[in-house]
Amino acid sequence: MTATEPAASDVTAPAGTAPQPAPGATPPRSPLIARAAAELVGTAALVAIVVGSGIQATELTDDVALQLLANSTATVFGLGVLIALLGPVSGAHFNPAVTLAEWWTARRGGAGVTARELAVYVPSQVAGAIAGAVLADAMFGEPLVKWSQHDRSAGNLLLGEVVATAGLVLLVFGLAKSDRLRFAPVAAASYIGAAYWFTSSTSFANPAVTIGRAFTDTFAGIAPSSVAGFVAMQLIGAGVGLALVAVIFMRGKTDGGTSAA
């Protein structure tokens, strides 16, 4: 769920030694197949955590508040670990909304994924999300694929998805703009954990995860009929988040009229 930084510039190395990256520079990017694998595995693991912890919670208690607490706590820890592990490989998007936002910023002259990378990342994320839901169901002896009956089509829930996704995009790209992406594992996981509780939708904030969760008729599921509305609101939320980033992190002008660093 973190934004990708530009590759480091070349540095001069003594004769007979391999070039080394400058201190603090971003290492060369991994091959696209490695990044696609990281996005697939990371998204699968994320959905397995969300769905699996939801199933476990409902088996342990009938208290819905405790179920949500268990579900959100597992998600916070799991997401933080996944971003820390896979962020250096793919940027740890695990989320088509974040990938699309990065592609959009790259089109406008910023750092981000290319159209080719977008075309690889998004299917990997969706496939991973579906695989993660099936894996969680398998671990708990549930039917491997059973469409969710959990309707989430109410207008207040759709508004919650706009808010949740806008906040996530603002966080990720705000960290990138302020050169604080090193805090992404803790910050992104903490935000999602909080958004479980302060948004009416419990913060899906992720089109791939939304699709994956339609495949499981358990605590974390979403009815297939509700998926399109959630995804549409998430994409709107991503646009709102980018607009907020542009306003809040606007570069100032120097006396000479040039943009300040």
Side-chain angles (χ1 to χ4, degrees), residues 10-21:
D10 293 336
V11 294
T12 303
T17 63
Q20 298 296 318

Side-chain angles (χ1 to χ4, degrees), residues 5-9 11 20-28 179 182:
E5 298 181 37
S9 58
V11 294
Q20 298 296 318
T26 304
D179 195 27
R182 61 190 178 278

Side-chain angles (χ1 to χ4, degrees), residues 20-172:
Q20 298 296 318
T26 304
R29 302 187 75 185
S30 302
L32 183 55
I33 189 171
R35 284 179 276 145
E39 287 298 302
L40 189 151
V41 171
T43 311
L46 175 60
V47 174
I49 290 165
V50 172
V51 173
S53 62
I55 297 172
Q56 184 79 285
T58 57
E59 291 183 352
L60 294 174
T61 179
D62 293 327
D63 188 318
V64 178
L66 287 178
Q67 292 171 355
L68 186 60
L69 178 61
N71 195 208
S72 60
T73 301
T75 302
V76 167
F77 288 124
L79 179 58
V81 168
L82 290 171
I83 295 174
L85 175 65
L86 299 175
V89 179
S90 67
H93 298 185
F94 314 146
N95 188 335
V98 172
T99 304
L100 282 165
E102 264 211 23
W103 169 76
W104 180 255
T105 60
R107 286 182 71 249
R108 299 176 64 83
V113 298
T114 64
R116 177 170 175 261
E117 292 167 330
L118 174 70
V120 172
Y121 270 41
V122 172
S124 298
Q125 293 157 354
V126 173
I130 295 170
V134 172
L135 175 61
D137 282 341
M139 287 192 293
F140 286 91
E142 299 287 339
L144 296 186
V145 175
K146 185 177 181 182
W147 299 119
S148 175
Q149 302 301 309
H150 195 160
D151 180 76
R152 299 178 189 262
S153 59
N156 62 305
L157 302 183
L158 298 177
L159 176 60
E161 281 303 288
V162 174
V163 173
T165 312
L168 177 62
V169 170
L170 173 60
L171 170 66
V172 171

Side-chain angles (χ1 to χ4, degrees), residues 46 49-51 53-54 67-76 79 164 189-204 209 213 219-220:
L46 175 60
I49 290 165
V50 172
V51 173
S53 62
Q67 292 171 355
L68 186 60
L69 178 61
N71 195 208
S72 60
T73 301
T75 302
V76 167
L79 179 58
S190 298
Y191 173 79
I192 292 297
Y196 258 85
W197 291 90
F198 81 76
T199 64
S200 56
S201 62
T202 65
S203 184
F204 285 46
V209 168
R213 287 167 68 166
F219 179 79

